[in-house]
Amino acid sequence: MLRAIFFDIDDTLYSTSEFSEVARSNAVGAMIEAGLSLPREELLQELDEVIREFSTNYEHHFDKLLLRLPKRFYRGVNPAVVVAAGVIAYHETKIRQLAPYEDAIEVLRLLSKTTLLLGIITEGLEVKQAEKLVRMRITPYLSPNAIFISNQLGISKPNPKIYQRACSDLNIKPSETMYVGDNPRHDIDPPNSIGMITVRMRRGGKHHNDEGQTRPHKEVQNFWDLLDWLRQEFQIQA
Amino acid sequence: MLRAIFFDIDDTLYSTSEFSEVARSNAVGAMIEAGLSLPREELLQELDEVIREFSTNYEHHFDKLLLRLPKRFYRGVNPAVVVAAGVIAYHETKIRQLAPYEDAIEVLRLLSKTTLLLGIITEGLEVKQAEKLVRMRITPYLSPNAIFISNQLGISKPNPKIYQRACSDLNIKPSETMYVGDNPRHDIDPPNSIGMITVRMRRGGKHHNDEGQTRPHKEVQNFWDLLDWLRQEFQIQA
């Protein structure tokens, strides 16, 4: 019997890759408008390097970007204004574009009317990941005590303990629990290893062509496929 | 001859006190909606305490607020979701409400068509203060090289060196330069001490009833009053 489904956030509930591309492009565009005289493509490449070098969870990418560039490219302009323009444009993109896949929100809404417990197991900083959930307006469909964020637990994917912790906190057996994610090595292999039911969401993103060591129980391309399988295989009446 | 006017930002170009009140109230309201079970007034008082204890420039007020409250007030809810709800509501208030006084933007626009150099001398963190300028959309009226932010210079108000630095960077004598601000001890006494022309903007805010050691050359209640005085006393044709 299936009692709970946990979801990954990034590139599962929304297209992280697409969002990041638009947000970075808008930020760089605003920095150019604020007085930074370099071609957009060059700035985007430099920003990608900054993000790779300082990690996506670092909070001052645009400051670092500016530090790397010779001052002649913003001569006579206060660099803080250039950075602020980038930060504001990035944030405004969050408001407009950080939205879940339409089928994700629809299927979560349908599943929330069943007896299934719905939750999140995600890798990242607590407030940053929680912000995504609030902006996507999906918290009403989740059990408030079933949101597990790696940085809050002190356990990072791919350590299977993060999956174990979610199950034990909610007092559910792994075999009665499903995990849905896009990354085979982080979202499929570890929950498989503790006996959870695993679903690979394969609709793009940077892990689209990755392979893990084990196979998921099911591979789907969207949430409607997932819902069909839940109905057929687990007699979920949604 | 008057060659340049520098402006303070907070409680001079916009009502910082009013904005903060609305932003904090919206943030606390969103935290309650996200599952924090305490009366709004009590949370606002606690938040005020946090801000006093950790300074307005600290970046994690809402995390600290939650840490101070017994867990029973958000039992069963992930605290990161409560914090994220507060952060998002605060940011959305910035977008909607961080706007200059109408007369400020109008008068800046008129003055920007004269030969006067217009700039900013402000106390605070560089990107935070620059963000206010960009959000208020007033950077087009300012000389891009005339924005001076304390944290970027290593000099804090009320040290008169911050005013001296602005004048020397732009190669203008203090006696040809005006400063407009709301705080008598930070915005009037120090520029007076180096021979600048000083204007006290007195239209509310936390320094409304403060007194400094010296008198401003002029006290005004809004930017139209300032413009009248500039026309009469300095023959500015705006």
Side-chain angles (χ1 to χ4, degrees):
Chain A
M1 189 199 167
L2 182 66
R3 294 180 57 206
I5 309 179
F6 290 100
F7 299 89
D8 175 43
I9 295 179
D10 293 297
D11 275 327
T12 295
L13 293 175
Y14 81 106
S15 176
T16 311
S17 321
E18 203 180 293
F19 165 77
S20 300
E21 200 184 313
V22 176
R24 288 172 198 171
S25 171
N26 289 350
V28 159
M31 292 171 88
I32 293 169
E33 221 173 295
L36 186 55
S37 301
L38 269 167
R40 177 185 288 255
E41 276 314 310
E42 204 168 311
L43 287 171
L44 282 172
Q45 272 176 32
E46 197 72 28
L47 180 59
D48 278 350
E49 263 186 44
V50 171
I51 293 165
R52 273 203 304 280
E53 290 169 26
F54 291 86
S55 103
T56 52
N57 285 332
Y58 180 73
E59 291 190 330
H60 299 283
H61 292 135
F62 301 121
D63 305 68
K64 282 280 180 293
L65 174 60
L66 223 56
L67 284 178
R68 296 158 79 106
L69 304 172
K71 287 196 178 157
R72 66 175 183 277
F73 293 120
Y74 52 93
R75 203 192 300 282
V77 180
N78 189 313
V81 172
V82 176
V83 171
V87 170
I88 291 171
Y90 193 94
H91 279 294
E92 289 186 353
T93 312
K94 274 195 205 169
I95 293 167
R96 286 196 313 273
Q97 309 235 352
L98 208 161
Y101 289 120
E102 264 183 61
D103 51 295
I105 194 93
E106 273 305 301
V107 169
L108 279 177
R109 196 177 57 76
L110 290 169
L111 292 176
S112 72
K113 294 177 180 165
T114 69
T115 57
L116 281 172
L117 187 155
L118 303 180
I120 297 286
I121 302 174
T122 179
E123 177 71 21
L125 302 181
E126 47 262 57
V127 176
K128 189 177 173 186
Q129 295 307 89
E131 184 188 339
K132 293 173 186 172
L133 299 177
V134 177
R135 286 202 186 278
M136 289 193 286
R137 300 173 199 280
I138 63 169
T139 54
Y141 307 129
L142 304 172
S143 297
N145 63 343
I147 297 168
F148 298 90
I149 306 174
S150 66
N151 201 54
Q152 211 170 28
L153 303 170
I155 311 168
S156 259
K157 292 183 183 177
N159 190 337
K161 282 185 184 167
I162 192 169
Y163 296 96
Q164 229 148 12
R165 171 72 181 271
C167 294
S168 63
D169 265 23
L170 296 169
N171 205 18
I172 306 178
K173 290 184 203 148
S175 60
E176 298 171 330
T177 306
M178 181 179 288
Y179 191 67
V180 183
D182 68 306
N183 180 344
R185 284 183 295 265
H186 281 198
D187 302 332
I188 305 301
D189 289 344
N192 269 345
S193 78
I194 64 161
M196 285 172 73
I197 303 153
T198 51
V199 176
R200 177 169 180 178
M201 183 59 68
R202 201 167 192 173
R203 73 194 300 177
K206 63 183 173 183
H207 301 298
H208 190 72
N209 296 315
D210 292 2
E211 287 306 331
Q213 306 216 304
T214 60
R215 292 185 50 75
H217 295 83
K218 180 72 179 169
E219 186 171 299
V220 296
Q221 293 185 341
N222 57 58
F223 282 80
W224 294 122
D225 289 354
L226 173 67
L227 187 63
D228 284 344
W229 191 58
L230 288 170
R231 282 170 170 153
Q232 283 160 28
E233 207 64 26
F234 300 90
Q235 291 74 51
I236 301 296
Q237 311 287 335
Chain B
M1 190 197 166
L2 182 66
R3 293 180 57 206
I5 309 180
F6 291 100
F7 299 90
D8 176 43
I9 295 179
D10 293 299
D11 275 326
T12 296
L13 292 175
Y14 81 107
S15 175
T16 310
S17 321
E18 203 181 293
F19 166 78
S20 300
E21 200 185 313
V22 176
R24 288 173 198 170
S25 171
N26 289 350
V28 158
M31 292 170 89
I32 292 170
E33 220 174 296
L36 186 54
S37 302
L38 269 168
R40 179 186 287 256
E41 277 313 311
E42 205 168 310
L43 287 170
L44 281 172
Q45 271 175 33
E46 198 72 27
L47 181 59
D48 277 349
E49 263 186 44
V50 171
I51 293 165
R52 273 203 304 278
E53 291 170 26
F54 291 86
S55 103
T56 53
N57 284 333
Y58 180 72
E59 290 190 332
H60 300 284
H61 293 134
F62 301 122
D63 305 68
K64 282 280 179 296
L65 173 61
L66 223 57
L67 283 178
R68 295 158 79 107
L69 305 172
K71 286 195 179 157
R72 66 174 183 278
F73 293 120
Y74 52 93
R75 204 193 297 283
V77 180
N78 189 313
V81 172
V82 177
V83 172
V87 170
I88 292 171
Y90 193 95
H91 279 293
E92 288 186 354
T93 312
K94 272 195 207 168
I95 292 166
R96 286 197 313 275
Q97 308 236 353
L98 209 161
Y101 290 120
E102 262 182 62
D103 51 297
I105 194 94
E106 273 305 300
V107 170
L108 279 177
R109 196 177 58 77
L110 290 170
L111 292 176
S112 73
K113 293 177 181 165
T114 68
T115 56
L116 281 172
L117 188 156
L118 303 179
I120 296 287
I121 301 174
T122 180
E123 178 71 22
L125 301 181
E126 47 263 54
V127 176
K128 188 175 174 189
Q129 295 304 91
E131 185 188 339
K132 294 173 187 173
L133 298 177
V134 177
R135 286 203 187 278
M136 290 194 285
R137 299 173 200 280
I138 64 168
T139 52
Y141 307 129
L142 304 172
S143 298
N145 64 343
I147 296 167
F148 298 91
I149 306 174
S150 66
N151 201 54
Q152 211 171 28
L153 303 171
I155 312 168
S156 260
K157 292 182 184 179
N159 191 337
K161 281 185 184 166
I162 193 170
Y163 297 95
Q164 228 148 14
R165 171 72 180 273
C167 294
S168 64
D169 264 23
L170 296 170
N171 205 18
I172 306 179
K173 290 184 201 148
S175 60
E176 299 171 330
T177 307
M178 181 179 287
Y179 191 66
V180 181
D182 69 305
N183 180 342
R185 282 182 296 265
H186 281 198
D187 302 333
I188 305 300
D189 290 344
N192 269 346
S193 78
I194 65 160
M196 284 172 75
I197 303 153
T198 53
V199 175
R200 178 167 179 180
M201 182 61 66
R202 201 168 192 173
R203 74 194 301 177
K206 63 182 170 180
H207 301 299
H208 189 72
N209 296 316
D210 292 1
E211 287 306 330
Q213 307 216 302
T214 59
R215 292 185 49 75
H217 294 83
K218 180 74 179 169
E219 187 171 300
V220 296
Q221 292 186 343
N222 57 59
F223 282 79
W224 294 123
D225 289 354
L226 173 66
L227 187 62
D228 284 344
W229 190 59
L230 288 170
R231 282 170 170 154
Q232 283 159 27
E233 207 66 24
F234 300 90
Q235 290 75 50
I236 301 298
Q237 313 285 336

